[in-house]
């Protein structure tokens, strides 16, 4: 039984305009983030995974702008809000950002100021979204720091971010994201800057918090290992489009899009045999401003069907838990 | 025949404080590290940030002075030098035998030079005549699978993966005896990373390269290296043939590292228990074995007595008091 959607993205388009022309960073992206589930979004640089996160929070700066589509919060409820219709600086959007939707960054210092203590920043974040006295907010902040696994939270609350290790800083970053008690959390490469043993701890923490709080987690990563470990459903992106969605087991067992297949075979593995060569994908990801015609993966695709792939854009992936691929190959889209 | 033998290498950085900048402590970035690289062999140096792996590579290249220890290097058959103590003046003619591949293919190429000139630069510096240089540049471009037309273009015209190929061509121009590669694929996207890994595997076969491969990604390392050396807080904890290390690690830290890597297979989910705690501060390493506060197998002796690297079976060195009695989990 599928959980209801907490956030539905429909045909989202984002463009960046500069002297050289128009870059279509997102070109018709649709997916559902289900309540209490983890949706992994995976792709190589320039695929649009971070732009997706930033558009949801309305953090796209000029010259970028949302040119189409909808971002629906509580889509099935009586009070669905289309975030694309809100002014990014409006009070309502500020309540959504950090309140309904928390954000975890790759580098926690993006979210933290060097000038204030960890405690000051979390207390402020809590009070922005909840009507609490300073003392109550401080107690909340200490509880939150304990919850994200920071030892001696009563003492650490007075630390400055630079006094903490990378792993502890990311824990503070997670506490910040949770300060407004969100039911949706977007984590953009939350462990990419961390060492592997710290990464394992932070992934474990995210899993635990998600389960306990029933958070809908949108986890953006380039690492197929992190996807395999964390996601319930996966969306694979390439050049501003979703090329495949699938439940995680199916994605790894029977990927349907040639790009997903190629990507999985290209990942170096700790289970490799000595001197094992990897399957490669020819060429490189094109610049988003030089998007190929038709299916944008066709110049690198080894399973191309011919003219059709060069000329026509395949239909978007079907919505729904079973997913599918945006590809002309027989059976790909079911 | 070993190309390189590092023994008891130490690199300490003084911590200075106060008005007179007195030394108040030392960061033991590298604290007694030994290993060797045989001819035609790739040794991977792995560990988490701050473990000292990059400092070791910088000491070998003498981009960093050495506190103590020896770095014996054989630039040609029958000749041996100690890079740790060699005066700068005598170091210069050796540079051609010791080349480097960098992590960031965007920062390591001069944007104002054409690719042909970038690759020819080391040849020119070493007095190779112009006509010969031309031929060698073409040969090198072919070797790294770039078109000959790349010669007359500038680095910005190339993607990250292609730039890394240019960097590799430059490093190989003078047939170096040893290549030091510091995280050469970690800045690249997966699809491009795979191409460069395959290229390095080809080059190992074709040129019988001797390489020190500094990396943190244990997946990449399993594909590319013959042997692996694992560092933790400035010391070597385990050195072993690659397959043996992954299948049956002998040091608890190696076990923890392998267990921490998320495998790209959802069926293996939840099988691992992450090691607790954080990497120790090399300015204040814990007494005894530096890993003991995080080690699930630590006993009293580990808290007081520092273990030394010892050969537990032929070709396998481990620095752990309990190396012989523990049975640790690897990855198949």
């Amino acid at each position: 039984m599928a959980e209801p959607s907490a956030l539905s993205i429909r045909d989202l388009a984002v463009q960046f305009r500069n002297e050289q022309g128009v870059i279509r960073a997102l070109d018709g992206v649709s997916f559902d983030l289900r309540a209490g589930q983890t949706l992994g979004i995976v792709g190589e640089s320039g695929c649009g995974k971070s732009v997706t996160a930033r558009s949801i929070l309305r953090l796209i700066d000029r010259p970028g702008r949302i040119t189409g589509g909808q971002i629906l919060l509580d889509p099935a409820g009586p009070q669905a809000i289309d975030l694309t219709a809100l002014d990014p600086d409006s009070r309502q959007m500020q309540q959504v950002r950090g309140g309904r939707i928390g954000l975890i960054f790759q580098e926690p210092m993006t979210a933290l100021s060097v000038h204030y203590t960890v405690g000051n920043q979390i207390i402020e974040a809590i009070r922005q979204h909840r009507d609490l006295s300073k003392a109550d907010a401080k107690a909340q902040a200490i509880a939150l720091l304990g919850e994200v696994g920071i030892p001696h939270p009563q003492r650490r609350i007075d630390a400055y971010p630079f006094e903490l290790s990378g792993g502890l800083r990311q824990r503070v970053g997670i506490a910040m994201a949770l300060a407004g008690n969100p039911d949706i959390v977007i984590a953009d490469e939350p462990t990419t800057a961390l060492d592997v043993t710290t990464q394992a701890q932070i992934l474990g923490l995210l899993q635990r918090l998600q389960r306990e709080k029933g958070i809908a987690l949108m986890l953006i990563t380039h690492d197929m290992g992190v996807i395999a470990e964390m996601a319930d459903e996966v969306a694979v992106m390439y050049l501003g489009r979703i090329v495949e969605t699938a439940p995680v087991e199916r994605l790894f067992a029977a990927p349907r899009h040639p790009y997903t297949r190629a990507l999985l075979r290209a990942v170096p593995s700790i289970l490799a045999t000595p001197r094992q060569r990897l399957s490669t994908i020819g060429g490189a990801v094109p610049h988003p401003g030089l998007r190929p015609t038709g299916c944008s993966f066709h110049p690198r695709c080894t399973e191309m069907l011919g003219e059709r792939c060069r000329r026509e854009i395949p239909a978007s992936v079907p919505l729904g838990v079973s997913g599918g691929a945006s590809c002309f190959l027989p059976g790909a889209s079911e | 025949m070993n190309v390189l033998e590092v023994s008891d290498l130490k690199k300490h950085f003084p911590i200075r404080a106060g008005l007179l900048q007195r030394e108040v402590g030392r960061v033991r970035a590298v604290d007694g590290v030994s290993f060797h690289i045989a001819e035609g062999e790739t040794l991977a140096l792995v560990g988490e940030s701050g473990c000292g792996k990059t400092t070791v590579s910088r000491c070998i290249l003498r981009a960093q002075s050495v506190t103590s220890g020896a770095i014996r290097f054989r630039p040609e058959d029958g000749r041996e030098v100690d890079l740790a103590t060699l005066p700068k003046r005598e170091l210069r003619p050796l540079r051609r035998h010791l080349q480097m591949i960098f992590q960031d293919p965007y920062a390591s190429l001069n944007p104002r030079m054409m690719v042909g000139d970038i690759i020819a630069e080391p040849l020119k510096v070493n007095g190779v005549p112009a006509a010969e240089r031309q031929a060698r540049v073409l040969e090198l471009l072919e070797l790294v699978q770039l078109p000959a037309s790349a010669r007359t273009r500038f680095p910005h015209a190339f993607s990250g993966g292609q730039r890394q190929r240019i960097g590799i061509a430059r490093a190989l121009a003078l047939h170096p005896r040893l290549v030091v590669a510091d995280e050469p694929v970690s800045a690249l996207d997966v699809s491009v990373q795979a191409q460069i890994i395959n290229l390095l595997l080809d080059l190992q076969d074709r040129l019988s390269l001797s390489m020190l491969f500094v990396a943190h990604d244990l997946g990449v390392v399993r594909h590319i290296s013959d042997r692996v050396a694992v560092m933790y807080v400035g010391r070597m904890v385990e050195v072993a043939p690659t397959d043996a290390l992954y299948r049956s690690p002998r040091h608890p830290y190696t076990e923890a590292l392998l267990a921490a890597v998320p495998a790209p297979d959802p069926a293996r989910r939840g099988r691992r228990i992450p090691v607790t705690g954080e990497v120790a501060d090399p300015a204040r390493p814990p007494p005894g074995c530096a890993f003991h506060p995080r080690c699930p197998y630590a006993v009293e002796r580990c808290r007081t007595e520092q273990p030394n690297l010892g050969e537990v079976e032929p070709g396998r060195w481990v620095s752990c008091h309990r190396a012989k009695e523990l049975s640790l989990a690897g990855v198949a």
Side-chain angles (χ1 to χ4, degrees), chain B residues 209-232:
Chain B
L209 277 187
S210 309
M211 183 156 64
L212 178 67
F213 190 87
V214 181
H216 71 280
D217 184 324
L218 292 165
V220 173
V221 165
R222 186 148 196 190
H223 284 268
I224 219 151
S225 60
D226 300 303
R227 290 190 305 128
V228 183
V230 184
M231 287 187 73
Y232 188 75

Side-chain angles (χ1 to χ4, degrees), chain A residues 43-46 165-168 171 194-201 203-204 207 222-232 248-249 252 259 263-264 266-285 300, chain B residues 42 47-50 159 189-195 197-198 200-202 204-205 216-220 222-226 243 246 253 256-266 268-272 274-279 294 331-332:
Chain A
E44 300 180 281
S45 37
S165 69
L168 285 184
R171 288 178 195 269
L194 302 174
D195 278 317
V196 64
T197 58
T198 313
Q199 164 171 287
Q201 294 170 4
L203 292 180
Q207 269 167 341
H222 68 284
D223 186 333
M224 280 292 187
V226 171
I227 289 286
E229 191 73 33
M230 299 287 290
D232 298 305
V248 69
E249 297 83 9
F252 283 84
Y259 176 62
L263 201 57
L264 285 171
V267 179
S269 168
I270 56 162
L271 306 172
T273 56
R275 314 190 55 76
Q276 186 184 322
R277 279 167 171 71
L278 288 157
S279 303
T280 60
I281 306 176
V285 180
R300 306 178 76 194
Chain B
T42 295
E48 300 180 282
S49 42
S159 67
D189 271 320
V190 175
S191 67
V192 178
Q193 190 183 51
Q195 296 168 11
I197 289 170
N198 286 356
L200 289 171
L201 286 167
D202 287 343
Q204 286 170 343
D205 290 345
H216 71 280
D217 184 324
L218 292 165
V220 173
R222 186 148 196 190
H223 284 268
I224 219 151
S225 60
D226 300 303
D243 218 38
Y246 281 77
Y253 178 60
L257 264 186
L258 290 171
V261 179
D265 177 4
R268 300 170 71 92
R269 183 185 285 197
R271 280 216 228 139
R272 62 218 183 95
V275 63
T276 54
E278 302 214 346
V279 175
R294 307 175 72 191
V331 289

Side-chain angles (χ1 to χ4, degrees), chain A residues 1-4 34 37 321:
Chain A
M1 182 58 213
E3 300 291 331
R34 282 174 240 287
Q37 300 267 300
V321 250

Side-chain angles (χ1 to χ4, degrees), chain B residues 292 295-305 321-322 325:
Chain B
H292 89 254
C295 181
Y297 313 103
V299 293
E300 195 46 44
R301 189 182 174 199
C302 308
R303 292 179 243 284
T304 52
E305 191 187 326
H321 294 308
R322 305 190 63 194
E325 47 178 306

